[in-house]
């Protein structure tokens, strides 16, 4: 019931993108991030944009929510564009605004860098919109699997991540509860000087820490009572399965990558 | 040796050497298929007993046997398979990100094959009436529902003993009723012993046997009827009695003679009925 | 202070996939100086309701009036600070809000935030610790070294030290053992009388509502389901059960007696001793009681 419950922004659904194996999604995004930097022509950018927008539509999530997820980065994208306008001084001058020369290259570079930026953020946000955090954790555990050989604590790391995910909503509810209790005792979190606000946070942080430690202690005991003794000899309920759809989408992505190299200048 | 019981033999426990004893020379036996309620005010040592039962703590003196097996560092993993625990705070024992993941947690720890896990998840969730919630996340469940999941998680490992350590204390009356009914159902259907540590008097009246703890000692061990017939003594050690018990006592002071200590409305009504037909 | 809700609705996260309407067109009135119990099963809107009482939330529609203060849907109230000083809220598990190094500092926290001067704070701290029946020697101790029950009393003392005129209690006895529950409720009842407070108690315990409240409001799905005097409301078993609430045990038993013996016994606030006498008369004297 409490507000801001959108952890990792996951929006449930049953689209193709939702059903893909999270490892496939992570792998595709990884390679997408790489090939974005190879694009250098209108056609190649067009191809990448087509892929990103196409995937966005394939998620069947309302455009409104996708754009909402990008909200915090619009500023960065705009900032990158403006920075290029001012810094780059190559090519011919195409206009002069208030005594400032605007170069052709500046516009082109600004636009392409911003577009790259936009594509990267958009594609990664599609991952978090269509994949539950726990699926992402599972995928990471699998993808890091080989590191177990060098004694990297993959299982512990994954368990830590999944317990954090499990407790984020609980701790958020707790934060809200305590901040309301302290607001009722006259704490003002919203106004006042920077120093005042830092001071206002202490009555919130101390109880939160106290309760988090208590929870950790009780959780550890409950886990022990249920027979937890580390990753060894442990079986797993959650399984990841690569299906036909994963192969098809990966193939499609491969075609895109090949296409990209043909459309480069 | 009888292998289907849990036994405490002269158990004493304290948290540190320089601290007072929490339990003093405690001995008792929990038999197969029995429901034992443990009551006592805060600090009487009830919760320590629970933690000793599955090796979360070890006694300084005395021994604890579970199904003939001495509880110690080497045997705790077997013991914990046999003794399931449900704690007080519904949130702080929910490990999984969804209901099914949580039910699976204990089974994963014990290395059970995936196929069996899936069967057991379905089975144990239906035993606690939570089948429709398999994919729900914990923060979308009520406290009572979370506790039912905790019971399902314990059932999935099919233990011989289930210990509820004040598992209903943080719930609303509806949640409390849910848990009590769940527990009654489960005990009915499965072969297991139940130990409930509780303040809920309604729960106590339904147990087979009651252990009253006071200052680290077993103060009284008897059936609920006998325990509640000692109203004054219970009050002396800070324990309350149910409404029916109080009313029965007042009826006796008002000059009526009851044939036995009533434990619920029905029994008291029958006592009154008999009395009137005799008048 | 009089409290009036007029057509109040409240919606969480409007215009999002998680939109949730917690209160619907809620209207009721609480007289100054009364002890009101708000009951309803989990999710009926009780906690949302009480958060309106000191302006932690603002109604999405309608208006809330608390004494001279008013909360409206689209208007920021500029006197929220004053309102919060006058309306003390004891939240569920209030011990979770403790944070200071000493009990004394924690109790003083509220009044200090509201700009009360030091000598006055000192007086209030001592008075508050006495009111919750803890020893003055506790003041120097760390709240985190105390038992759960003592921590709860300290947290309550912290709210009392604000000298509120309205006291809002959100399940103040949750998680305590029966003895602790009784002590805390008796304490609030005494404070209500002594300080002439307006007390709003949110509770799951029909027994407490019956024993302490002079007016009961039953919420269901964010609406007022019924309100009235507890003795009257708690007689209506069917209508309570329809919203998953129980009848207090004493009333339930009297109803059973009436049914079984075919007499018209009713609950009129009698103690267990008095009830026992009535029942003794019933079985001895035979028929025709009342």
């Amino acid at each position: 019931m409490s507000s801001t419950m959108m952890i990792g922004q996951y929006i449930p659904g049953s689209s193709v993108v939702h059903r893909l194996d999270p490892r496939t999604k992570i792998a595709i995004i990884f390679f997408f991030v790489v090939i974005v930097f190879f694009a250098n022509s209108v056609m190649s950018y067009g191809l990448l944009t087509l892929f990103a927008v196409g995937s966005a539509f394939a998620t069947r999530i309302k455009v409104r929510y996708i754009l909402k997820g990008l909200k915090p980065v619009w500023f960065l994208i705009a900032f990158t564009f403006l920075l290029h306008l001012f810094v780059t001084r190559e090519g011919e001058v195409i206009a002069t605004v208030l005594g400032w020369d605007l170069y052709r290259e500046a516009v082109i570079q600004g636009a392409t860098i911003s577009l790259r930026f936009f594509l990267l953020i958009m594609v990664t946000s599609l991952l978090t919109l269509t994949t539950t955090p726990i699926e992402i954790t599972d995928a990471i555990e699998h993808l890091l699997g080989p590191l177990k050989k060098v004694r990297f604590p993959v299982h512990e790391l994954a368990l830590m991540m999944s317990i954090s995910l499990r407790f984020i909503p609980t701790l958020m509810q707790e934060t809200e509860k305590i901040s309301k209790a302290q607001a009722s005792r006259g704490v003002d979190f919203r106004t006042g000087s920077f120093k005042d606000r830092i001071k206002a946070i202490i009555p919130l942080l101390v109880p939160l820490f106290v309760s988090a430690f208590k929870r950790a202690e009780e959780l550890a005991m409950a886990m022990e009572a249920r027979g937890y003794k580390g990753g060894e000899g442990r079986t797993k309920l959650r399984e990841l399965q690569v299906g036909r759809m994963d192969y098809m989408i990966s193939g499609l992505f491969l075609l895109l990558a090949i296409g990209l190299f043909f459309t480069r200048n | 040796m009888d292998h289907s019981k849990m036994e405490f033999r002269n158990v004493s426990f304290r948290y540190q050497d320089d601290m007072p004893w929490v339990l003093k020379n405690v001995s008792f036996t929990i038999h197969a298929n029995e429901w034992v309620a443990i009551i006592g005010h805060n600090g009487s040592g009830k919760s320590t007993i629970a933690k000793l039962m599955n090796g979360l703590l070890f006694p300084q003196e005395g021994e604890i046997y579970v199904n003939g097996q001495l509880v110690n560092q080497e045997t705790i993993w077997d013991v914990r398979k046999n003794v399931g625990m449900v704690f007080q705070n519904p949130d702080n024992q929910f490990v999984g990100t969804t209901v099914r993941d949580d039910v699976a947690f204990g089974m994963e720890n014990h290395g059970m094959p995936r196929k069996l896990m899936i069967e057991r998840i379905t089975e144990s969730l239906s035993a606690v009436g939570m089948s429709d919630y398999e994919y729900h996340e914990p923060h979308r469940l009520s406290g009572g529902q979370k506790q039912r999941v905790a019971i399902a998680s314990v059932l999935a490992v099919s233990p011989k003993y289930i210990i509820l350590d004040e598992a209903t204390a943080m719930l609303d009356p509806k949640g409390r009723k849910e848990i009590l009914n769940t527990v009654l159902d489960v005990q009915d259907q499965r072969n297991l012993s139940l130990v409930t540590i509780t303040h809920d008097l309604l729960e106590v009246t339904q147990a087979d046997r009651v252990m009253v703890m006071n200052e680290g000692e077993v103060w009284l061990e008897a059936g609920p009827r006998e325990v509640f017939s000692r109203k004054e003594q219970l009050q002396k050690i800070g324990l309350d009695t149910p409404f029916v018990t109080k009313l029965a006592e007042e009826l006796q002071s008002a000059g009526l003679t009851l044939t036995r200590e009533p434990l619920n409305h029905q029994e008291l009504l029958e006592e009154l009925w008999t009395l009137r037909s005799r008048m | 202070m009089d409290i009036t809700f007029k057509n109040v609705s409240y919606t969480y996260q409007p215009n999002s996939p998680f939109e949730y309407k917690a209160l619907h067109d809620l209207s009721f009135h609480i007289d100054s100086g009364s002890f009101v119990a708000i009951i309803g099963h989990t999710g009926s809107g009780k906690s949302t309701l009480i958060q309106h009482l000191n302006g932690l939330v603002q109604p999405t529609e309608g208006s809330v009036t608390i004494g001279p203060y008013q909360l409206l849907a689209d208007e920021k109230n500029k006197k929220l600070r004053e309102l919060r000083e006058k309306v003390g809220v004891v939240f569920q598990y209030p011990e979770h809000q403790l944070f200071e190094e000493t009990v004394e500092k924690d109790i003083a926290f509220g009044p200090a935030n509201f700009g009360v001067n030091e000598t006055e704070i000192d007086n209030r701290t001592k008075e508050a610790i006495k009111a919750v029946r803890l020893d003055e020697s506790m003041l120097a101790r760390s709240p985190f070294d105390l038992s759960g029950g003592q921590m709860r009393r300290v947290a309550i003392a912290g709210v009392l030290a604000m000298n509120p005129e309205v006291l809002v209690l959100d399940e103040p006895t949750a998680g305590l053992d029966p003895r602790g529950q009784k002590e805390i409720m008796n304490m609030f009842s005494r404070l209500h009388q002594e300080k002439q407070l307006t007390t709003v108690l949110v509770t799951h315990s029909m027994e407490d509502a019956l024993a302490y409240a002079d007016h009961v409001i039953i919420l269901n799905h964010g609406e007022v389901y019924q309100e009235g005097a507890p003795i009257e409301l708690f007689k209506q078993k069917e209508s309570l059960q329809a919203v998953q609430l129980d009848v207090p045990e004493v009333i339930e038993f009297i109803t059973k007696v009436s049914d079984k013996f075919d007499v018209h016994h009713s609950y009129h606030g009698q103690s267990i001793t008095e009830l026992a006498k009535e029942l003794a008369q019933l079985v001895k004297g035979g028929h025709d009681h009342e």
Side-chain angles (χ1 to χ4, degrees):
Chain A
M1 255 206 298
S2 83
S3 59
T4 54
M5 269 299 156
M6 292 169 84
I7 307 301
Q9 308 165 314
Y10 175 71
I11 295 182
S14 57
S15 73
V16 176
V17 187
H18 280 90
R19 282 178 326 205
L20 280 182
D21 187 298
R23 287 170 298 181
T24 310
K25 286 190 256 190
I26 290 178
I28 287 181
I29 285 163
F30 179 77
F31 289 113
F32 186 86
V33 169
V34 174
I35 63 174
V36 158
F37 291 96
F38 288 97
N40 64 358
S41 67
V42 176
M43 267 294 274
S44 54
Y45 274 111
L47 214 54
L48 291 172
T49 311
L50 190 73
F51 175 77
V53 173
S55 314
F57 274 104
T59 62
R60 299 211 202 145
I61 293 171
K62 281 184 194 148
V63 181
R64 188 153 64 97
Y65 295 140
I66 297 179
L67 292 180
K68 211 172 167 187
L70 294 176
K71 221 171 171 181
V73 289
W74 282 125
F75 168 78
L76 269 178
I77 292 172
F79 181 75
T80 315
F81 182 68
L82 287 175
L83 196 71
H84 273 278
L85 286 192
F86 287 106
V87 175
T88 311
R89 295 162 160 268
E90 279 168 54
E92 58 196 277
V93 176
I94 49 169
T96 306
V97 183
L98 300 167
W100 180 264
D101 294 338
L102 197 59
Y103 294 86
R104 173 188 284 277
E105 274 302 301
V107 177
I108 294 177
Q109 276 199 24
T112 53
I113 303 265
S114 304
L115 181 62
R116 272 182 197 168
F117 205 38
F118 171 74
L119 290 176
L120 294 181
I121 307 258
M122 163 110 161
V123 172
T124 34
S125 78
L126 288 185
L127 174 74
T128 52
L129 281 166
T130 63
T131 321
T132 58
I134 196 69
E135 280 181 309
I136 296 178
T137 308
D138 284 343
I140 291 173
E141 186 177 2
H142 272 91
L143 294 169
L144 293 182
L147 290 179
K148 273 183 199 158
K149 290 207 177 93
V150 292
R151 297 235 174 142
F152 186 78
V154 178
H155 161 76
E156 284 74 10
L157 189 75
L159 184 74
M160 254 168 60
M161 278 173 66
S162 86
I163 288 178
S164 318
L165 289 172
R166 148 72 187 91
F167 275 93
I168 286 170
T170 309
L171 291 178
M172 275 169 51
Q173 282 171 349
E174 181 113 2
T175 311
E176 198 182 307
K177 215 194 91 183
I178 296 171
S179 67
K180 280 186 172 154
Q182 306 298 31
S184 302
R185 291 209 282 167
V187 176
D188 190 346
F189 294 103
R190 295 216 175 85
T191 54
S193 67
F194 182 69
K195 206 182 128 203
D196 284 346
R197 283 201 222 184
I198 293 291
K199 246 176 99 185
I201 285 195
I202 294 170
L204 180 60
L205 280 188
V206 174
L208 262 181
F209 271 102
V210 170
S211 115
F213 279 117
K214 189 167 171 247
R215 282 184 197 282
E217 206 175 291
E218 289 187 19
L219 184 72
M221 181 166 293
M223 285 170 65
E224 218 185 302
R226 285 162 73 180
Y228 181 74
K229 51 183 170 201
E232 219 166 298
R234 213 166 174 269
T235 45
K236 278 193 73 107
L237 171 72
R238 280 199 313 275
E239 241 178 15
L240 295 176
Q241 251 169 349
V242 177
R244 220 171 44 186
M245 195 58 84
D246 293 281
Y247 289 115
M248 277 167 57
I249 300 287
S250 305
L252 207 68
F253 182 74
L254 191 67
L255 285 179
L256 173 91
I258 294 167
L260 180 86
F261 282 91
F262 280 107
T263 53
R264 291 185 73 204
N265 280 340
Chain B
M1 190 180 198
D2 182 4
H3 278 217
S4 52
K5 63 182 181 191
M6 180 193 286
E7 226 187 320
F8 271 52
R9 288 190 200 156
N10 308 101
V11 169
S12 295
F13 177 86
R14 57 181 165 188
Y15 282 91
Q16 271 161 32
D17 287 343
D18 53 351
M19 274 160 86
W21 292 99
V22 182
L23 291 180
K24 295 173 225 164
N25 198 20
V26 169
S27 301
F28 62 86
T29 307
I30 312 255
H31 299 281
N33 301 325
E34 189 185 26
W35 177 0
V36 178
I38 303 181
I39 58 174
H41 63 83
N42 289 339
S44 61
K46 331 185 275 301
S47 283
T48 308
I49 291 185
K51 286 173 190 136
L52 287 165
M53 282 177 170
N54 78 342
L56 291 170
L57 297 173
F58 296 102
Q60 279 85 7
E61 283 168 30
E63 295 96 40
I64 297 159
Y65 291 90
V66 173
N67 290 355
Q69 198 169 30
L70 177 70
V71 180
N72 60 28
Q73 284 293 352
E74 279 90 63
T75 59
I76 44 172
W77 306 113
D78 283 334
V79 168
R80 284 177 192 166
K81 220 187 232 177
N82 273 318
V83 183
M85 293 259 281
V86 179
F87 297 93
Q88 182 178 26
N89 190 320
D91 262 318
N92 298 352
Q93 55 186 318
F94 204 112
V95 188
T97 43
T98 65
V99 167
R100 76 194 302 258
D101 286 313
D102 192 60
V103 176
F105 182 75
M107 294 191 279
E108 293 178 325
N109 292 336
H110 294 300
M112 283 162 60
R114 185 166 184 273
K115 231 182 111 191
L116 184 63
M117 282 196 234
I118 292 171
E119 273 169 37
R120 292 272 180 92
I121 289 173
T122 319
E123 235 176 69
S124 50
L125 281 180
S126 102
V128 301
M130 288 291 290
S131 299
D132 295 341
Y133 296 85
E134 199 174 329
Y135 292 92
H136 277 232
E137 292 166 348
H139 62 269
R140 307 236 180 259
L141 301 178
S142 71
Q145 289 173 327
K146 280 181 215 165
Q147 290 302 65
R148 270 147 77 194
V149 173
I151 295 174
S153 309
V154 164
L155 286 178
V157 191
S158 69
K160 287 286 161 212
Y161 305 87
I162 294 188
I163 297 151
L164 305 181
D165 186 1
E166 297 195 37
T168 57
M170 290 177 75
L171 305 180
D172 60 20
K174 190 170 155 244
R176 237 173 255 177
K177 238 183 275 169
E178 278 170 26
I179 298 300
L180 190 61
N181 289 338
T182 305
V183 163
L184 285 168
D185 274 1
V186 164
Q187 218 223 352
D188 218 32
Q189 289 160 14
R190 307 204 176 198
N191 253 338
L192 44 79
S193 316
L194 198 61
V195 179
T196 54
I197 293 166
T198 185
H199 290 301
D200 190 331
L201 298 170
L202 187 68
E203 224 175 285
V204 178
T205 56
Q206 298 183 50
D208 299 321
R209 204 148 55 88
V210 184
M211 259 171 60
V212 185
M213 297 296 299
N214 189 40
E215 292 176 356
E217 288 174 83
V218 181
W219 185 80
L220 177 66
E221 205 182 336
R225 209 178 293 284
E226 198 194 324
V227 168
F228 287 129
S229 66
R230 306 195 186 185
K231 181 174 170 250
E232 268 172 38
Q233 284 160 287
L234 286 174
Q235 276 175 342
K236 252 183 221 152
I237 61 165
L239 292 175
D240 201 8
T241 48
F243 167 77
V244 171
T245 307
K246 286 182 192 146
L247 184 56
E249 209 203 358
E250 292 291 348
L251 284 170
Q252 274 162 326
S253 346
L256 300 184
T257 322
L258 305 182
T259 56
R260 61 170 185 177
E261 181 70 33
L263 277 184
N264 50 44
H265 290 184
Q266 195 51 42
E267 288 180 6
L268 183 51
L269 281 171
E270 273 159 23
E271 288 283 342
L272 290 172
W273 189 253
T274 335
L275 278 171
R276 186 165 83 154
S277 49
R278 267 200 226 124
M279 295 279 171
Chain C
M1 290 198 279
D2 281 345
I3 299 169
T4 309
F5 274 55
K6 212 171 159 198
N7 307 105
V8 173
S9 295
Y10 187 82
T11 310
Y12 283 99
Q13 294 176 279
N15 305 319
S16 85
F18 306 108
E19 183 175 297
Y20 176 74
K21 203 165 183 189
L23 299 180
H24 298 266
D25 199 22
L26 201 65
S27 301
F28 62 83
H29 177 81
I30 293 174
D31 282 329
S32 183
S34 57
F35 195 126
V36 176
I38 296 179
I39 56 181
H41 66 84
T42 309
S44 58
K46 303 184 303 274
S47 352
T48 311
L49 188 158
I50 58 169
Q51 288 177 37
H52 283 84
L53 296 175
N54 72 343
L56 286 173
V57 297
Q58 221 177 330
T60 315
E61 286 166 50
S63 71
V64 177
T65 316
I66 303 121
Y69 309 96
Q70 195 170 41
L71 299 168
L72 295 168
D74 306 304
E75 203 182 291
K76 261 239 151 316
N77 186 307
K78 294 194 182 67
K79 290 183 180 162
L80 273 186
R81 262 181 99 73
E82 273 177 49
L83 173 63
R84 288 191 186 156
E85 189 176 359
K86 302 243 162 80
V87 180
V89 184
V90 176
F91 282 92
Q92 239 182 80
Y93 299 98
E95 58 274 22
H96 292 173
Q97 74 198 28
L98 300 175
F99 74 101
E100 285 281 17
E101 297 144 53
T102 65
V103 169
E104 182 167 20
K105 281 188 186 169
D106 215 295
I107 297 176
F109 181 69
N113 280 328
F114 290 115
V116 176
N117 72 51
E118 267 178 50
T119 37
E120 171 69 8
I121 289 181
D122 234 36
N123 292 339
R124 287 199 198 174
T125 312
K126 293 209 172 91
E127 198 190 328
I129 196 94
K130 219 178 282 162
V132 297
R133 299 275 153 100
L134 286 177
D135 198 76
E136 243 181 69
S137 64
M138 289 258 180
L139 287 174
R141 290 175 64 182
S142 160
F144 299 106
D145 290 341
L146 307 179
S147 76
Q150 291 170 331
M151 282 171 82
R152 181 160 306 182
R153 284 160 190 258
V154 171
I156 292 169
V159 175
L160 295 178
M162 288 159 41
N163 267 1
E165 290 173 33
V166 178
L167 193 56
V168 181
L169 311 169
D170 188 359
E171 290 183 48
T173 61
L176 296 178
D177 64 18
R179 182 162 58 171
Q181 295 187 4
K182 210 180 226 167
E183 284 170 3
I184 294 277
M185 279 318 297
N186 286 338
M187 179 186 95
F188 283 126
S189 169
R190 200 186 65 233
L191 286 167
H192 173 80
Q193 310 263 334
E194 281 173 12
K195 308 205 164 208
Q196 290 168 345
L197 300 168
T198 307
T199 306
V200 179
L201 167 73
V202 170
T203 183
H204 281 298
S205 162
M206 303 301 130
E207 266 69 30
D208 285 351
L210 181 65
Y212 301 103
D214 37 51
H215 189 77
V216 173
I217 298 174
I218 303 177
L219 286 191
N220 189 41
H221 296 304
E223 292 171 33
V224 175
Y225 177 73
Q226 273 178 329
E227 60 174 319
I231 290 190
E232 295 310 315
L233 279 192
F234 288 138
K235 277 178 189 162
Q236 302 162 31
K237 190 172 177 182
E238 280 81 25
S239 100
L240 285 172
Q241 277 175 339
V243 290
Q244 302 172 43
L245 295 175
D246 288 323
V247 175
E249 197 173 1
V250 54
I251 294 183
E252 184 167 8
F253 187 74
I254 292 174
T255 316
K256 282 181 183 166
V257 170
S258 302
D259 289 349
K260 184 150 184 142
F261 292 84
D262 200 20
V263 290
H264 293 287
H265 260 304
S266 66
Y267 180 72
H268 47 82
Q270 66 268 60
S271 66
I272 291 190
T273 318
E274 287 159 357
L275 176 62
K277 279 181 192 142
E278 288 176 18
L279 290 174
Q281 206 172 4
L282 172 70
V283 296
K284 280 179 193 158
H287 345 275
D288 302 320
H289 185 75
E290 282 188 38

